Amino acid sequence: MKKLDIGILAHVDAGKTTLAEAILYLSGSIRKPGRVDHQDAFLDNFELERSRGITIFSKQAELMLGDVQVTLLDTPGHVDFSAEMERTLQVLDYAVLLISGADGVQGHVETLWRLLDRYQIPVFLFVNKMDQPGTDRDALLKEITERLDGRCLAFDGDMQDESFLENLAMCDEKVLEQYLESGEIDAKEIRRLILERKVFPCYFGSALKIQGVQELLDGVCAYSVQKQYPDTFGARVYKITRDQQGSRLTHLKITGGSLKVRELLTNRRSDADGQEIWEEKVNQIRIYSGSGFRTVQEAAAGEICAVTGLEHTFAGEGLGCETEAELPVLEPVLSYRIELPSDMDVHQAFIKLRMLEEEEPQLHIVWDEQHGEIHAQLMGEVQTEVLKNIVKERFGFLIAFGTGNIVYKETIRSAVEGVGHFEPLRHYAETHLLLEPGERGSGMQFFTVCSEDVLDRNWQRLILTHLEEKRHRGVLTGSEITDMRITLLTGRAHQKHTEGGDFRQATYRAVRGRERRRSAAGAGLCVPDGDSGRDGRKSAYRYSENERFFRPSRD
């Protein structure tokens, strides 16, 4: 039996939840499709989602499409909850990108398209609301090919049409040769083209009237391929939540082998020098579908499940043979001061808010010691209202937010060297770094040119790990640094006294060490994290297409 994990992505109000309801109805999972305006959608099961008519949290549903077992993941479309959507991309086999036929390709759709490219997810497109007056199929397809990709082809017409086959053959040299020889294109080759992101099938219809949805499902079943997983256990954590009883849930996808109840999981790795090691037992494995779930004794490769009993996991973490995910692209750019009730203990409030940060890491809940305030980073006003409701419902107290301020980031104008030295009693480590300005939007990039004759490879790898494991602060305003290339030049370790944690201190000091070498005014350049949108306001996210991290080969 083929198993697929498919996510639905869209700009807000494009009809994403309506499409999910139509898919569930056609698959026989629900008797009647719910509606957002009727507040009875199967997947929008939180009161806030139903009252506001938007998806806030990603949810999953289990369904069968013929002989294909599908885990359908519905993701938020509102830009304020883009981080929730991006986390879901880590576990998808395929994506359905929804485009409103009434609005065409909107700005956020282009952002979603770039994200799908970054995570290399094969895409099916569904152009919705084609029942509305004024929608033009040909004009929409032309806009899609111009603004997204020229290899977006309509798959809901005559698949044997000469023009269609010619356009399909032009997407790949091997397929072109086959077509010129035989005049046909094998379905196996079409599946390969879609899997390799060389073709993007487009379907048109109306999710509300359940038009064109079956054609989309037939196409997904016919032209998708199940991923091959290794026998060795691996899992990718993509989000953390808590159920109504307060139990901590680790949502993950099994990417190799299988996971059984009572099995021990750990973050222990051969290269995890200086890392806090945990080992915990899986108490329960849940397979969610909407608000309900069933418990299983074992989850196989390819399945998405929620696990209880793990208290130290985090979104993006890789377990077993799975590596950790890259840092997210979409980040909030507004910082708010959290105002607490006058009789509220600040320390207790901070602890509870940090629990929310586990579920939404982009909140960045921090304690401003200088002003005695708690600060959080958010996408916008809708998210602030949602957070107020969550805090009141879960913890029983009301919070307010001060005026939102843009989150600034710092970079440097010219190259500078940073030196970090750490040598308390029976400890020793020294790190020399070269910090250079990168292109705008390039993010942080880490390299090494240090000879292994000078510093062993394991110490070099550890230094690079410490460089990328946290958000380093600049010396101009104390803002997070960005758009920089940091290169390890050299370092020193003591044969007897150096431990893993020593290089963490030396590395952090080397990043800060540029303050002693160059004045803040000369080295720092403060830039807002985000560009102005079309309406003149600051956008709630920044896309860094070239953000990459370098690690030395482990071979």
Side-chain angles (χ1 to χ4, degrees), residues 492-508:
R492 294 181 65 184
H494 192 280
Q495 187 173 3
K496 180 179 179 181
H497 295 308
T498 299
E499 298 178 356
D502 298 346
F503 270 107
R504 175 184 284 111
Q505 295 298 325
T507 301
Y508 291 175

Side-chain angles (χ1 to χ4, degrees), residues 464-483:
L464 293 173
T465 299
H466 291 323
L467 283 172
E468 65 180 77
E469 72 186 358
K470 65 170 290 186
R471 300 167 183 269
H472 299 277
R473 298 292 172 180
V475 298
L476 182 62
T477 64
S479 303
E480 180 186 342
I481 59 174
T482 189
D483 298 344

